[in-house]
Amino acid sequence: MINRYYEDDYGAYAGRRRGRVKQALWELLRDVSSTAPGWGEHLRPLRPLARRLAAAVFDINVPLEGAQPLRVLDVGCGYGDVLRYLQSRGCLVQGVDFDPRAAAHGLQHGTPIHIGRMQDLGLPPDSVDVAILCHSLEHLPEPAQTVAALSRVVKPGGRVHIAVPNGRAVGLQQEGEGWGALFLPIHFWFFDAAALTALLGKHGFRVASVGYATLWRNHWQLWRSRVRGSGRAAVALQAWRFCLRSLCDREGGDVVRVTAVKLVSAAGGVCAV
């Protein structure tokens, strides 16, 4: 099991570490940007700005407007950070993770987390409104099986939110093994938007949006670590080339984020969306 490669202090297992003020801001940004009913209404004029900021900060941000409560499934949920927030806003949530250390933290706060595979939950067909795979699809030995299983349980018109390291990232092309998202052997796959679109399309999903994020902190740390061996001038040139390529290549971010809509029901009926 790949969880052997993670220590107990791994972020997905260790539980929330934000201070009280940072956590309050984190939740406020989600409330305003996701249009959580009854939350952040007094800040409605700031919603466009909040959504832009949320797109920069969060890999996954579930819209909460419309019919409630949403039934949310998070595959590879870790300690259930996002699920805990969604649960506090009235959603019916279920998490799945392969490591009991993750589940232990979630259960402490009443967030249901199943240890094992999503396929073993036995969820009824068309029973999920929103599915989340936040930096988890790349860890699965058979991602196509998971997407096929999601196609069965996500209802027609339901959404799947996926965030994974970008297989055509500028950082991967330029920095090679120094790229901060190149975690081997625990990352089995490196998807780009085209590969995700093809995989989702094969199982009855239509990609509705694609976005990218560059993890500037990771690159800064890499450049700092290389100064001693390569010299300031050489590292400055590397950094300049990276920044220039990143600005020119909008699809070259470190993370690719995809939102897809379920089009075909388990019975084969087409859902118009």
Side-chain angles (χ1 to χ4, degrees):
M1 292 292 291
I2 63 173
N3 53 332
R4 297 175 182 175
Y5 292 92
Y6 295 109
E7 301 294 335
D8 290 341
D9 62 351
Y10 175 55
Y13 303 155
R16 284 183 175 173
R17 295 176 174 178
R18 305 182 192 94
R20 184 175 300 177
V21 173
K22 187 174 181 179
Q23 182 64 38
L25 292 173
W26 184 89
E27 293 183 3
L28 180 62
L29 180 58
R30 285 195 181 276
D31 287 339
V32 178
S33 61
S34 66
T35 323
W39 299 85
E41 291 296 330
H42 58 293
L43 297 176
R44 182 183 294 271
L46 298 178
R47 189 159 293 157
L49 176 61
R51 285 178 172 168
R52 292 190 186 94
L53 183 58
V57 174
F58 304 133
D59 279 329
I60 302 292
N61 194 35
V62 178
L64 296 178
E65 70 268 23
Q68 297 292 326
L70 290 177
R71 299 161 297 178
V72 182
L73 172 67
D74 190 341
V75 180
C77 64
Y79 65 87
D81 191 21
V82 174
L83 289 182
R84 186 174 163 189
Y85 162 77
L86 293 172
Q87 190 174 28
S88 71
R89 299 308 187 255
C91 297
L92 305 176
V93 304
Q94 175 65 61
V96 181
D97 203 278
F98 53 72
D99 197 291
R101 292 171 292 182
H105 283 285
L107 293 172
Q108 286 177 3
H109 300 282
T111 304
I113 298 178
H114 169 77
I115 304 171
R117 302 187 313 158
M118 183 271 289
Q119 292 91 320
D120 298 329
L121 277 173
L123 295 173
D126 303 339
S127 61
V128 171
D129 296 301
V130 177
I132 298 171
L133 297 98
C134 186
H135 293 280
S136 57
L137 192 65
E138 70 271 23
H139 295 271
L140 301 177
E142 297 176 328
Q145 288 188 6
T146 297
V147 175
L150 286 174
S151 180
R152 186 184 73 85
V153 301
V154 173
K155 73 174 188 179
R159 301 186 305 275
V160 175
H161 297 267
I162 299 176
V164 292
N166 185 8
R168 66 172 306 273
V170 170
L172 176 59
Q173 298 170 29
Q174 183 169 315
E175 297 166 356
E177 64 182 15
W179 184 49
L182 188 65
F183 295 115
L184 299 174
I186 55 178
H187 285 181
F188 297 145
W189 313 95
F190 288 91
F191 299 94
D192 59 15
L196 285 175
T197 298
L199 175 60
L200 290 162
K202 182 178 179 181
H203 295 286
F205 293 96
R206 175 181 61 82
V207 170
S209 67
V210 178
Y212 299 89
T214 297
L215 307 177
W216 292 100
R217 181 181 177 182
N218 289 357
H219 297 287
W220 173 250
Q221 291 175 341
L222 175 64
W223 299 331
R224 287 187 61 186
S225 69
R226 287 180 171 177
V227 165
R228 183 170 298 178
S230 303
R232 291 181 182 275
V235 173
L237 180 59
Q238 293 173 14
W240 170 252
R241 289 177 56 199
F242 174 82
C243 293
L244 186 61
R245 288 189 63 186
S246 295
L247 290 173
C248 294
D249 187 352
R250 295 183 178 181
E251 299 179 359
D254 297 309
V255 178
V256 57
R257 305 159 171 172
V258 169
T259 300
V261 179
K262 168 75 174 297
L263 293 177
V264 182
S265 72
V270 176
C271 173
V273 296

